[in-house]
Each structure stands twice: as C-alpha cells, then as structure tokens.
Amino acid sequence: MSDTREQILEQIKVQGDLVRQLKATKESKEKLPLAPSSEGRAISTSVGQQLKAQQQQLQEQQQQEQQQQMHKIDEEVSRLLALKAKLGGDAAPANQKFTLKTPKGTRDYAPQQMTLRQDVLDKIVQVFKRHGGEAIDTPVFELKEVLTGKYGEDSKLIYDLKDQGGEILSMRYDLTVPLARYLAMNKISSIKRYHIAKVYRRDNPAMTRGRYREFYQCDFDIAGTYDPMLADAECVKIVAEVLDTLDIGDYVIKLNHRQLLDGMFEACGVPASSFRAICSAVDKLDKSPWADVRKEMVDEKGLDGATADKIGEYVRLSGGAELVEQLLADEKLKAVSNAVKGLEGMQLLLKYCSLFGLEQRVSFDLSLARGLDYYTGVIYEGVLKADPSAPPSPVKEIHNGDQATEQSSTVGSVAGGGRYDNLVGMFDPRGKAVPCVGVSIGVERIFSVLEAKFAASKVKLRTNDVEVYVASAHKGLHEQRLRVLNQLWDAGIKAEHSYKLNPKLLAQLQHCEEHQIPLAIVLGDAELAQGIVKLREVTTRQEANVNLTELPNEIRRRLQK
Amino acid sequence: MSDTREQILEQIKVQGDLVRQLKATKESKEKLPLAPSSEGRAISTSVGQQLKAQQQQLQEQQQQEQQQQMHKIDEEVSRLLALKAKLGGDAAPANQKFTLKTPKGTRDYAPQQMTLRQDVLDKIVQVFKRHGGEAIDTPVFELKEVLTGKYGEDSKLIYDLKDQGGEILSMRYDLTVPLARYLAMNKISSIKRYHIAKVYRRDNPAMTRGRYREFYQCDFDIAGTYDPMLADAECVKIVAEVLDTLDIGDYVIKLNHRQLLDGMFEACGVPASSFRAICSAVDKLDKSPWADVRKEMVDEKGLDGATADKIGEYVRLSGGAELVEQLLADEKLKAVSNAVKGLEGMQLLLKYCSLFGLEQRVSFDLSLARGLDYYTGVIYEGVLKADPSAPPSPVKEIHNGDQATEQSSTVGSVAGGGRYDNLVGMFDPRGKAVPCVGVSIGVERIFSVLEAKFAASKVKLRTNDVEVYVASAHKGLHEQRLRVLNQLWDAGIKAEHSYKLNPKLLAQLQHCEEHQIPLAIVLGDAELAQGIVKLREVTTRQEANVNLTELPNEIRRRLQK
C-alpha cells in the first residue's frame, strides 16, 4: 500500500498543478481585449483593422489554449489510468469471482442459433452471388483516423482500442468505410463485392429487438462509374430478393434521395451549413413523433419554427411515381436545382424498380433520411411490416434504456443503404472519386425474428450432420469401434461414437434418437466373427446385417433414399 | 467556447473537491493505530486480540478506501474524456492526409484470396462435421478478467480496448478460453463443438510466414467426462484428416504429454514452482537452438546448469511406441509418478492412433511443450515438413523483427492443441471441472502456403459464380436487358450485365472471357421482335437462338453439361 499512498500524494500534487494552470489560462484569457460587439460598427477603419488583428490573435490564442487543455486532459487521463492500474493491477487476485457474462450488448451463439444463422447467411450469399458479387474481408479494426469524420453524430459510438504503444486503432463501425479504404488503397475503380462480418457500435443495446453492440452486417456494394440508377436499382432488387428468400414476413422498401432532401431543405429555407444536422433529425422520424423531431430541429439545431413546419409538410409524404410528378410540379421545389435532380433520379429509379417487378414493394418516402453522413444520392431501407399475429420475442434480456413498448413485434429496419459517391475520394491522396452504391442487410434483427418463429413452432433444428453412430452391443469392443469409425471417416462418412470404453447399448441408441442421427451400427462379437455388423435405421428400428467391407457403400445407399 | 469555458471552471471545482477528498482519506488513514510490528510479539493476549481486530479494521478500511479511490478515478476519467470530447470532438481537420494502410500485422483479403480461403474453410468444416462437430460463436471481445491469468507469459500480447466508461474489455486471444467461459456460464458438461473465427495477438508479425496479429483459428474441441485418450486420439485423427484434405505437403504430428513433462522436470530436479516457466522455455526449441534455451533456463529462470543439462538429454528424444517403452524403463523417470502416468497415457494414445492408421504420421517428441499454461494432459502439434522444391513466398511485406532466414519455405506448425481439464473449472463458481481436449488449425499459415502454390502455378481462380451475362447488340436496349435479367434472377440463375446504358458489344464479350462466365445472352431488336434471343457459349463462341420463355430452362440444361 505504501507505494500506492505515495502515488496518491503525488497525484494530489499533480492535480493541484493542473488546477492552477487551468485557472491561469482562464485569467489570461479574461485580460484580452474584447471582441467587437454589434454596437461597435461605426468605428474608424484603422481601429477596425486593429480590432480585427486583435480578434484574430484572440482566436489563435483560444485555439492554442484549447489544444493545450486537450493535451493536459490526455496526460491527466493517462496518469489517472496508470494510477488505477497500480491500485488494482492487471492480475486478478486468486479465486476472484466475477459475473460470468459476455460484454454488454453482445451474445454467444449456441449450436441451434448457429444452424439458423448459417442458413440465413447462406441464403443471403446465394443472392449476392446471383448478382455477380465477389467476397472480400478486411481487419476488424482500422487505424482510428480511417474512421474519423465519416459517421457524423454517431462517431461517439465507435469502440477505440487502448493505446498499448504503436498505432491508434478503432473497431470497424460498418463495412462501408473499410471498403472505401480498401478501394482507395488498392486503386480499384470498379468492383461488385460482398462482405459478411461483424461490426461494433457502443450503442444502447436493445437485445429484445435484435439490436446489439456486436452484430453481423451483410453488405453488397457496386463501385464504378456507370450510368444513373442502373446499379442503384439492382441494389433495391437485391434487398427484395433477400427478404423474399428469407420469408420473414411482409415488408416495404422505402426510397428517398439525398439530393432531394437537400433541395427540400433549401426550398424550406434551411441554411446549407445545417443540412446534415437537420437530415440527422429527420432520420429519427422512424422512432420519434414529428413533435419531438421538430423540437430537436428548433431547440437543439437552431432552426426557426416556420422552417421546421415547412419541412414537416414534406416529410409526411410518401407514395409512388405519382408523388414524384406532384413534387416536380411543386412551386417551392421546382425552383431548386438539387430538388429537381433528386426527383428526376427518383423517377428513373422507380421505373427500373418497376421493370424488376418491385412496384408493390417500394415506397418513395420523404421521411427516410438515413443517419450516416456519407450518402450522396439514392437512399433506401427495407422495413418489416408489423405482424400482429407474431409471437412475442423469446429473448428475455432487458437492458437499460429499453422500454416495454420496444418489445413489440415491430423489428423495423432490416436492410438499408444508398449511394455514396465521395467516400472513396476522401481516402485517395489526389481525391480521385469512385462512385459507389450499396446495401447492408441487418441480419441480427432477421435472426431475432426467425428465432422467435422457431421457438413458437417448437421445431428442433438438427445442429450436427452425423450420419452413422457406431455402437457397442456389449463390453470390450472399443478398439473394434475405432477400426470401424476409421473406415467410415476415410470413406467420407460422418460418424461418431461414445467416448466411453463400455457404454450401455440403450444410452447409445437414445443418443441417436435425441440427435436425430439416421443410422446406427451395432457391433457384437458374434457378428464380427463372421465379418458383419448390424446396421439399424434409428427411426424405424429396423436392423439388417451388412458385410464390413460393404459398409460404406451400404450406408451411402441408405442415406440417398 | 463559452459553454466550454464554464465546463472547465466546473471541472476545476470538481478537481479541487477530489483533491480535498483524497487528502482527507489520507489523513484519516494516518490517525489509525499502527499495525503490530515484528518487535511487538511478546504482548498479552488481550492486547494481541485488540491489535488483531484493529489490524482487520485497518485492512477493511484500506480496501474500502482503495475501492473508493478507484471509483473516483473512474468518475474523473469519464469527466475528463467528456470534457475533451466537448473541446475537440472526434472530427478530423479537413483534408488530413495519412498513410493508407491496414493496422500492423493485419491484411485485407481480396476476392482471389477469399475464394481460396473459403475453399480451405469449407474443407475444414467438412472434416469437423464428419466427426459430429456443432458450431458455436462468441463475441470478439471478452471482459478482461475472463482472459486474465490464462495465458502465462503471453498475456502481454492481449489487445485491450480503451476504457470508454463501462466494462473493461479485451480482444479474444484464442477460441479456447471463450469456449471454457461459455461452458461454465451455460453449465454445459459435454459438447463437441467447432468454432471458426478471428483471434488477436499483439505479436511481432512475420507476415511472410503467415504469422499475423489478426488471424483465423479453426478449433474443434471435445468437452466431457470420458474414458482416457478416446477423444484425444480423435483430435489427432482430425488434424491428420484436415492436413490430408488440404493437400499442402508432407507433415508430422508431434505428440507429448504435460504430465510427462512435469514428471521429467521433477526427475531432473526442477522445483515445482518453476515447471511452467521451464516448460515455456522448452516450448522455444522449435525456433531456437538448445544452447539459447538452456541459457534462458539458467540465466533468466534461475535453473542450475546441471539440471538444465539433464533436461537437455530428454528433450532431444523422439520416436514411437519403442521410445515409450524405453522411458518407462528409465531409472530417473520411473521413480516419478507423474512421468509414469504421462508415459502410460502416451502408450494408449499411440495405440489408438495406430488403430486410426496414423503410425506413419505421429511422432512422440519430448521437445514439444506448447506455450499455453492451461494444458494438463496430451499436447500435439501438426508440423509441415520443409519442402525444398517449394517456391519462395509471394508475400513481399517484411516487417520489424523478420529475419531473412524466416522467409524460408518452412512454415512450421499448422495445427496444435491438447487436453485442458481445469480451464472450465476456473470459471465455475464452485470450481466444477469439465475435462476438455481440442485442436486448433492454423489456417493463416495454410493460406500462405496455398497462395504461394497458386502464384507459382499461374492458375486464375474464378472469384465470382456468374452463369450468364446479358449483353446488348446495339443501343437502346437497357430496359430489355433489365427485363431479361429479372426473369433470370427470379429463376435463380446467376446473371449480370454492364451498368452502362449503351456498352460496346466487344467490351461486353471481353468481360465474359476475362471473368470466365460460361454463357452470354445477346439481345437485338430483330430477335426480340420474334420473342427470341441469342445464347452464346463464351469459350466456343457458338450461338443459338432461344425462345425468351424457354431461356431459364435452356440455360440450366447447358450449365448441367
């Protein structure tokens, strides 16, 4: 303890120093000349220039101070963390008991869940491959600066790694930014790739709705300089194919266009510098009522009420090609070039979607905004419609921030994406852009829906593929079992046995029934003496003698039936 | 800025409070009676008891204070971090340039590599399923305390996450400790599971040899209370099947036993407290000569030279069943119960391996130690034999710590594992043990070997599965293309087209040849007017007219050929 006490004393001294320094900084700031106020307009030019120079000086000084303060805070944080490590140490005291759990917002997948998941992922990959997708993979973490400035307000949800010497790393937040980094780094100007991997967000988990801090994303993206909306429409088609093949209930694919949103904001009188912030407020309309979103726009984002109300008029609109026509005739919108371009794009997209047989599946929806900063064109979101007959979710965990209402059968968005033409250019040293459009399937929510379905149906999924169980009819046959197993494995047959020397026959046959293994071989001295074994069909319990040398062929024959 | 200034002022106040509190804690501590010193032994019982009570009180108070201090530090850290976020936020300065790279020791997988990798993983999963394996998955990070005290000297290689408030997390270092945590947490006493996922080690990367900081592990483990060596031998069989099916060259599976190692150390006179440290030195024999390992034992681990030399005699031994016989007759070993038990285990394992047809594949090798602390019984390692005809590795990156000699064609260990009977018990609140044995396939090294092979053979792997390319013979056909594509996709056929409105026919056909797409449909107004299209076999360039309604069936027929 004495070492630690000294450390605390030292720490107290250091903190005192910091307090003094921060105070000094503040005092020196107060001694600076005042910046020009609105009353000081009618002053002579020279005084004005002087003031301007002083103002600039003040700004520079403030920036410098800010940097110094941040540096001090960094130092202080490392000191405190080091002290904490000293107090607690890294080595756990012997026999220390702690709650056995996975980290907040994460979960294990048991064999039943893995079977379901693998089935879902296989089906999704099939769709991706049907559209010519190639797979890539990237590391689970990136240099922190790769992620910096890509996610707007959501950046606070990024997991950082501890600075253990070396590079500063963060966990990937999605698969889109790593793709853009990959394309720029390898100077790839066109690719159609899919990527299935886990991403990480320090969000408030709502695990009952399939929202986790660690979750799989299944992304399909088309990069390349192409003609308008051809690749975009194919991504919408892919969303529809995925949701159709997974058969998880009725859905709608909402469509919108960032250029139209920007044009609409402009038409309503939102200053250009607020477009992203207002867009991010609109994005909350799927979870919050308009009144709350309006409040955020006015109170937090400084929009005047009348402008917010104009936005409110537009964002409640949704429909099809007829709505595009209507908006192209809208007096306010048709005066704004961005709005017209967005609407024309939407017109073309809706036409292509109709050629893909998706008229009944898509809905042009002006309330769709998508949270991420990097979208530049079409945006879309596949949303499951609430199914009132659906059973309640079987997941019992309820975490902070979950409300009872969140446990309804509405799982909401299960796919989303859009066009992002400038993201790759942010990584290219010469800013060379590679236009991209893509879609991300929200498989965790899909897993949740399917798990609930399976729990309700009481169907037991097989979690292993064993074809034959090798059993002993009596004691002393374990070496014979190993010989037979070896023969089967070498013939490519999936086989297992008890790892006990002398298991009871009943226990062995029960194992087969429990695990839905179709065939069992029963070894006995009498049969083995004649070079034969009993082959038993587990469900019918019918047995037949089979020559040992014929065993693999006979098993294959029976499995094909 | 004004908001931030106020925050700083508040911060200063809070820090002042903290300082006062820490001081007060310290002062109150100093007023406590002194703990009994070694000179105070001859005091009366009642005084002794009083002192003991006081001492206990002091200890409790100290513990409480320590907890309070750590809690305060936690609070302080979050406050400072929040302040920092307020001051600067995460936003990067515009146009910031940095080196485009993946984190040290990691790599992207391009489509060619993914194709190869998927093929390898599929083959491995096939082997795992042939032995009745079920899949599970766990989060990529664990509570740090789950990993603490499991990896011995290697713990320093664990990646920690930054403390961003909330739980303290570390990246998984292997898949074995998460399995043990999973079994204890869910009270599972038997399972045969496989797990394929990435693990993380802050090692010095040697990427030319397939050694990375982020790498896939493919683990198969058998948990449960079974008869000796039956499950262990099956794991060795699995290693052999995996290496056989991957066909990456000649290999040997080295076998040893931790109990024998401990017994051998005991026989040589190593103090029991040094067993793990000496074992960890022996583990380096695959990379370092005996002289270096001996030096580590003597200079760093305090062993006397004579003892080290005795160990040196044993660790150069390897062989088969005859070596077990020889060692069972060894005067020093047969006096040590652990050594005898280990040798008897080895005898049984070699017998079972022989029943599995592995006599020529396994080698009982006393120099095999395995680095990890948690092994308790059999250990094994699959090692590729050096192939002098192998081409040099095509990976060009050379990182710190790599020596030229490391670029040889010896890739070394490609699989390893062993028995760990006490790991699950470390997580169980009542210490209930679940005996386990398992194997981990080092697929990254296998990928490296196969990539080198492919680079040498100049075979181009197909990275997509497209079956039909839909081409336009002339301008103005893009809508027709979309209609045909939609028909094909809905029929489950893998199809793609150019995302240009009016691509040149030659460019479209070249795309088919480059991407090894077997069939192309060529649309033209003349044919479409009659309800037909041209179906072209890309390699032979033969064309035939096909009725549009017959297209999916005709394509399927041709693909089956």
Side-chain angles (χ1 to χ4, degrees):
Chain A
M1 274 303 284
S2 71
D3 186 36
T4 311
R5 272 195 216 172
E6 272 164 36
Q7 290 242 347
I8 292 175
L9 276 172
E10 194 191 5
Q11 187 60 28
I12 289 168
K13 188 182 158 297
V14 169
Q15 289 204 330
D17 289 349
L18 183 73
V19 170
R20 271 189 298 280
Q21 282 166 23
L22 287 170
K23 269 187 182 157
T25 311
K26 195 185 158 292
E27 278 158 16
S28 73
K29 197 180 293 175
E30 280 164 354
K31 279 179 206 144
L32 284 171
L34 285 169
S37 71
S38 56
E39 290 98 77
R41 273 183 210 139
I43 42 178
S44 77
T45 320
S46 70
V47 176
Q49 277 169 346
Q50 206 181 328
L51 271 174
K52 205 171 166 188
Q54 279 178 353
Q55 195 180 1
Q56 203 179 340
Q57 198 189 348
L58 174 67
Q59 271 177 0
E60 277 167 18
Q61 196 161 346
Q62 279 176 347
Q63 275 174 8
Q64 237 175 14
E65 279 165 19
Q66 183 172 336
Q67 277 177 4
Q68 280 171 2
Q69 282 160 8
M70 284 177 67
H71 183 66
K72 263 178 220 154
I73 289 170
D74 276 342
E75 282 183 345
E76 192 60 4
V77 167
S78 357
R79 257 191 227 112
L80 285 166
L81 289 177
L83 177 61
K84 189 184 165 194
K86 198 90 188 184
L87 280 165
D90 261 356
N95 304 321
Q96 189 195 334
K97 293 297 168 229
F98 52 90
T99 317
L100 265 184
K101 66 186 286 295
T102 61
K104 187 180 176 189
T106 69
R107 60 168 169 174
D108 294 320
Y109 285 88
Q112 284 263 335
Q113 295 166 307
M114 283 299 281
T115 305
L116 194 66
R117 186 181 86 170
Q118 203 51 54
D119 182 54
V120 168
L121 296 182
D122 285 350
K123 284 178 177 165
I124 293 174
V125 167
Q126 241 174 1
V127 173
F128 291 167
K129 287 192 167 180
R130 195 182 301 150
H131 291 265
E134 303 178 305
I136 73 159
D137 196 15
T138 63
V140 78
F141 37 58
E142 295 276 347
L143 300 185
K144 183 173 175 56
E145 45 202 354
V146 167
L147 306 190
T148 302
K150 308 299 184 304
Y151 300 107
E153 292 180 6
D154 288 343
S155 294
K156 62 181 184 294
L157 303 181
I158 293 173
Y159 276 98
D160 293 329
L161 267 76
K162 190 169 157 183
D163 182 357
Q164 292 172 285
E167 298 161 338
I168 305 299
L169 308 176
S170 298
M171 306 286 283
R172 66 180 159 214
Y173 183 84
D174 64 10
L175 303 176
T176 312
V177 169
L179 169 65
R181 193 264 308 144
Y182 172 81
L183 295 180
M185 189 173 131
N186 297 290
K187 304 203 184 307
I188 294 168
S189 59
S190 76
I191 195 173
K192 197 151 59 172
R193 85 88 179 79
Y194 68 90
H195 189 182
I196 296 185
K198 287 175 175 176
V199 302
Y200 299 87
R201 301 184 182 179
R202 300 181 62 252
D203 213 337
N204 254 341
M207 319 228 294
T208 49
R209 299 172 68 215
R211 190 141 57 84
Y212 292 89
R213 290 183 160 201
E214 170 183 63
F215 56 98
Y216 263 84
Q217 275 194 342
C218 302
D219 279 22
F220 182 96
D221 292 81
I222 301 172
T225 307
Y226 299 123
D227 281 313
M229 295 298 163
L230 284 170
D232 313 57
E234 188 163 336
C235 287
V236 178
K237 174 72 179 171
I238 286 171
V239 174
E241 283 185 36
V242 165
L243 296 178
D244 285 342
T245 189
L246 294 175
D247 191 23
I248 46 167
D250 202 10
Y251 63 90
V252 61
I253 305 172
K254 297 180 183 175
L255 308 173
N256 201 2
H257 198 296
R258 272 283 167 91
Q259 256 185 304
L260 170 60
L261 276 172
D262 285 357
M264 185 258 283
F265 295 147
E266 188 181 337
C268 295
V270 178
S273 60
S274 300
F275 282 2
R276 287 285 72 74
I278 296 304
C279 189
S280 155
V282 170
D283 183 47
K284 288 166 190 155
L285 277 174
D286 60 338
K287 286 171 202 126
S288 314
W290 165 249
D292 293 0
V293 171
R294 185 186 184 281
K295 196 167 146 51
E296 176 177 334
M297 288 179 177
V298 175
D299 295 357
E300 288 175 36
K301 303 199 162 151
L303 214 60
D304 73 78
T307 305
D309 291 335
K310 281 185 209 159
I311 296 173
E313 292 298 318
Y314 285 114
V315 296
R316 67 191 56 173
L317 300 174
S318 70
E322 80 296 339
L323 176 59
V324 179
E325 296 293 340
Q326 178 193 322
L327 293 175
L328 277 170
D330 181 286
E331 288 302 327
K332 278 206 297 283
L333 292 181
K334 75 185 188 190
V336 178
S337 128
N338 259 338
V340 174
K341 278 185 201 153
L343 285 166
E344 284 169 355
M346 195 51 64
Q347 206 162 35
L348 192 58
L349 178 66
L350 286 171
K351 185 181 189 181
Y352 290 161
C353 283
S354 145
L355 287 170
F356 284 160
L358 301 175
E359 301 93 327
Q360 302 307 313
R361 289 303 194 182
V362 297
S363 165
F364 169 34
D365 188 325
L366 274 89
S367 74
L368 179 70
R370 308 277 306 153
L372 299 172
D373 273 9
Y374 49 63
Y375 291 119
T376 55
V378 163
I379 47 178
Y380 35 80
E381 204 162 282
V383 182
L384 287 193
K385 292 182 182 171
D387 174 5
S389 74
S393 167
V395 184
K396 279 183 200 127
E397 291 161 281
I398 299 183
H399 284 255
N400 300 339
D402 276 12
Q403 301 300 322
T405 53
E406 289 202 337
Q407 288 186 69
S408 77
S409 57
T410 318
V411 287
S413 167
V414 288
R419 176 163 285 283
Y420 50 101
D421 285 348
N422 302 330
L423 190 59
V424 179
M426 290 171 76
F427 291 108
D428 188 86
R430 274 162 298 171
K432 185 176 171 287
V434 178
C436 295
V437 62
V439 59
S440 181
I441 310 294
V443 278
E444 298 291 341
R445 291 188 178 190
I446 292 169
F447 296 152
S448 287
V449 173
L450 288 174
E451 278 172 18
K453 257 193 183 173
F454 264 96
S457 75
K458 303 208 192 317
V459 171
K460 204 189 161 195
L461 285 173
R462 271 202 81 178
T463 54
N464 73 65
D465 293 352
V466 175
E467 295 162 332
V468 192
Y469 188 91
V470 181
S472 297
H474 54 77
K475 287 191 178 181
L477 287 172
H478 67 279
E479 293 192 11
Q480 295 290 357
R481 286 206 313 264
L482 299 187
R483 276 197 197 92
V484 171
L485 281 165
N486 195 51
Q487 187 192 0
L488 298 178
W489 290 331
D490 286 354
I493 290 166
K494 302 184 187 86
E496 66 177 3
H497 74 136
S498 163
Y499 296 110
K500 304 213 167 178
L501 290 177
N502 299 308
K504 293 211 168 65
L505 184 58
L506 189 63
Q508 296 172 80
L509 296 177
Q510 270 175 348
H511 177 98
C512 296
E513 292 187 4
E514 271 167 31
H515 292 80
Q516 304 172 57
I517 300 170
L519 297 172
I521 290 164
V522 185
L523 302 184
D525 272 342
E527 291 84 2
L528 284 169
Q530 307 168 53
I532 57 174
V533 295
K534 273 190 188 146
L535 183 58
R536 177 183 169 115
E537 288 193 351
V538 174
T539 45
T540 65
R541 303 189 180 182
Q542 283 183 334
E543 290 187 344
N545 286 339
V546 178
N547 200 303
L548 259 175
T549 53
E550 273 307 298
L551 202 48
N553 288 335
E554 179 61 21
I555 288 169
R556 270 195 218 100
R557 210 179 54 77
R558 294 198 181 218
L559 290 172
Q560 274 170 6
K561 277 199 305 188
Chain B
M1 275 303 284
S2 70
D3 184 37
T4 310
R5 273 198 215 169
E6 273 164 34
Q7 290 241 348
I8 293 176
L9 275 172
E10 194 191 8
Q11 187 60 29
I12 289 168
K13 189 182 159 295
V14 169
Q15 289 203 332
D17 289 349
L18 182 75
V19 170
R20 271 189 298 278
Q21 283 167 21
L22 286 170
K23 269 186 181 158
T25 311
K26 196 185 155 293
E27 278 159 17
S28 75
K29 198 182 288 176
E30 281 166 352
K31 280 179 206 145
L32 283 170
L34 285 168
S37 71
S38 56
E39 290 99 76
R41 272 184 208 139
I43 41 178
S44 78
T45 320
S46 71
V47 176
Q49 277 169 346
Q50 207 182 329
L51 272 173
K52 204 171 168 189
Q54 281 178 352
Q55 193 180 4
Q56 199 177 346
Q57 198 189 348
L58 173 68
Q59 271 177 0
E60 277 167 17
Q61 197 162 346
Q62 280 176 346
Q63 276 174 7
Q64 237 175 15
E65 279 165 18
Q66 183 173 337
Q67 277 177 4
Q68 280 169 2
Q69 283 160 7
M70 286 179 70
H71 183 67
K72 266 178 217 149
I73 289 169
D74 276 341
E75 282 182 346
E76 192 61 6
V77 166
S78 356
R79 259 192 225 110
L80 286 166
L81 288 177
L83 176 63
K84 189 188 166 195
K86 200 90 189 183
L87 278 166
D90 264 352
N95 305 320
Q96 188 193 335
K97 294 290 170 241
F98 54 87
T99 316
L100 266 183
K101 65 185 287 295
T102 61
K104 186 181 175 189
T106 69
R107 60 168 169 174
D108 295 318
Y109 285 88
Q112 284 263 336
Q113 295 166 308
M114 283 298 281
T115 305
L116 194 66
R117 186 181 86 169
Q118 204 51 56
D119 182 55
V120 168
L121 296 182
D122 285 349
K123 284 178 177 164
I124 292 174
V125 167
Q126 242 175 358
V127 173
F128 290 168
K129 285 191 168 179
R130 195 183 300 151
H131 291 265
E134 302 177 306
I136 72 159
D137 196 16
T138 63
V140 79
F141 37 57
E142 294 277 347
L143 300 185
K144 185 172 173 57
E145 46 203 353
V146 167
L147 306 189
T148 302
K150 308 299 185 303
Y151 299 108
E153 291 179 6
D154 288 343
S155 295
K156 63 180 183 295
L157 303 181
I158 293 174
Y159 275 99
D160 292 330
L161 268 77
K162 191 167 155 183
D163 183 356
Q164 294 171 285
E167 297 162 338
I168 305 299
L169 308 176
S170 298
M171 306 285 285
R172 63 181 162 213
Y173 184 83
D174 63 10
L175 303 177
T176 311
V177 169
L179 169 66
R181 192 263 308 144
Y182 173 82
L183 295 180
M185 188 172 133
N186 297 290
K187 305 202 182 309
I188 294 167
S189 58
S190 76
I191 196 172
K192 197 150 60 173
R193 84 88 179 80
Y194 67 91
H195 189 183
I196 296 185
K198 287 175 175 175
V199 302
Y200 299 86
R201 301 186 182 177
R202 300 181 62 252
D203 214 337
N204 256 341
M207 319 229 295
T208 48
R209 300 171 68 215
R211 191 142 56 85
Y212 293 88
R213 288 183 161 201
E214 171 185 61
F215 56 98
Y216 263 83
Q217 273 193 344
C218 301
D219 279 23
F220 183 98
D221 292 81
I222 301 172
T225 306
Y226 299 123
D227 281 314
M229 294 298 164
L230 284 169
D232 313 55
E234 188 164 336
C235 288
V236 177
K237 174 73 178 169
I238 286 171
V239 174
E241 283 185 36
V242 165
L243 296 178
D244 285 341
T245 189
L246 293 176
D247 191 24
I248 46 167
D250 202 11
Y251 64 89
V252 61
I253 304 172
K254 297 181 183 173
L255 308 173
N256 201 359
H257 199 296
R258 273 283 167 94
Q259 257 184 306
L260 170 59
L261 276 170
D262 286 357
M264 185 258 281
F265 294 147
E266 189 182 335
C268 294
V270 179
S273 60
S274 300
F275 282 3
R276 287 285 70 76
I278 296 305
C279 189
S280 155
V282 171
D283 183 47
K284 288 164 189 157
L285 276 174
D286 58 340
K287 288 170 201 127
S288 314
W290 167 249
D292 293 1
V293 171
R294 185 187 185 282
K295 195 167 149 49
E296 177 178 334
M297 288 179 177
V298 175
D299 294 358
E300 290 174 37
K301 303 200 160 149
L303 214 60
D304 72 79
T307 305
D309 291 336
K310 281 185 208 160
I311 295 172
E313 291 298 318
Y314 286 112
V315 295
R316 66 192 56 175
L317 300 175
S318 69
E322 79 298 337
L323 177 58
V324 180
E325 297 292 341
Q326 177 194 323
L327 293 174
L328 277 169
D330 181 284
E331 288 304 327
K332 277 205 297 283
L333 293 181
K334 74 183 189 191
V336 178
S337 130
N338 260 336
V340 174
K341 279 186 200 154
L343 284 166
E344 285 170 353
M346 195 52 63
Q347 206 162 33
L348 193 57
L349 178 66
L350 287 172
K351 185 181 190 181
Y352 291 161
C353 284
S354 143
L355 288 170
F356 285 160
L358 301 175
E359 301 92 328
Q360 303 306 313
R361 290 302 193 183
V362 296
S363 164
F364 169 36
D365 188 325
L366 275 88
S367 74
L368 178 70
R370 308 274 308 148
L372 300 172
D373 271 9
Y374 50 62
Y375 291 118
T376 54
V378 164
I379 47 179
Y380 36 80
E381 205 161 282
V383 182
L384 288 193
K385 292 183 183 171
D387 174 5
S389 72
S393 167
V395 184
K396 277 182 202 132
E397 290 162 285
I398 297 182
H399 285 253
N400 300 340
D402 275 11
Q403 300 299 321
T405 53
E406 290 203 336
Q407 286 184 69
S408 76
S409 58
T410 316
V411 289
S413 166
V414 288
R419 175 162 286 281
Y420 50 102
D421 284 348
N422 302 331
L423 191 58
V424 178
M426 289 171 78
F427 291 109
D428 188 85
R430 272 162 299 170
K432 186 178 171 285
V434 177
C436 296
V437 62
V439 59
S440 182
I441 311 295
V443 279
E444 300 290 342
R445 291 189 178 189
I446 292 169
F447 297 152
S448 288
V449 174
L450 288 174
E451 277 172 20
K453 257 193 184 173
F454 264 94
S457 74
K458 301 207 193 314
V459 171
K460 202 187 163 196
L461 284 173
R462 271 201 80 178
T463 55
N464 72 65
D465 292 354
V466 175
E467 295 161 333
V468 192
Y469 189 90
V470 181
S472 297
H474 54 79
K475 285 191 179 184
L477 287 172
H478 67 279
E479 293 192 11
Q480 294 290 357
R481 285 208 313 263
L482 298 187
R483 277 198 197 91
V484 171
L485 280 165
N486 195 52
Q487 187 192 359
L488 298 178
W489 289 332
D490 286 355
I493 290 165
K494 303 186 187 85
E496 67 177 2
H497 74 136
S498 162
Y499 296 111
K500 305 213 167 178
L501 290 178
N502 300 309
K504 295 213 167 61
L505 184 58
L506 189 63
Q508 296 172 82
L509 295 177
Q510 271 176 346
H511 177 98
C512 295
E513 290 186 7
E514 270 168 31
H515 292 80
Q516 304 172 56
I517 300 170
L519 297 172
I521 290 164
V522 184
L523 302 184
D525 272 342
E527 291 84 3
L528 284 169
Q530 307 168 52
I532 58 174
V533 295
K534 274 193 186 139
L535 184 58
R536 179 184 166 111
E537 287 192 354
V538 174
T539 43
T540 64
R541 302 187 182 186
Q542 284 183 333
E543 290 186 344
N545 286 340
V546 178
N547 200 303
L548 259 175
T549 54
E550 273 306 300
L551 201 47
N553 288 335
E554 179 60 22
I555 288 168
R556 270 194 218 100
R557 212 181 51 77
R558 293 196 182 220
L559 290 172
Q560 272 169 8
K561 279 200 302 189

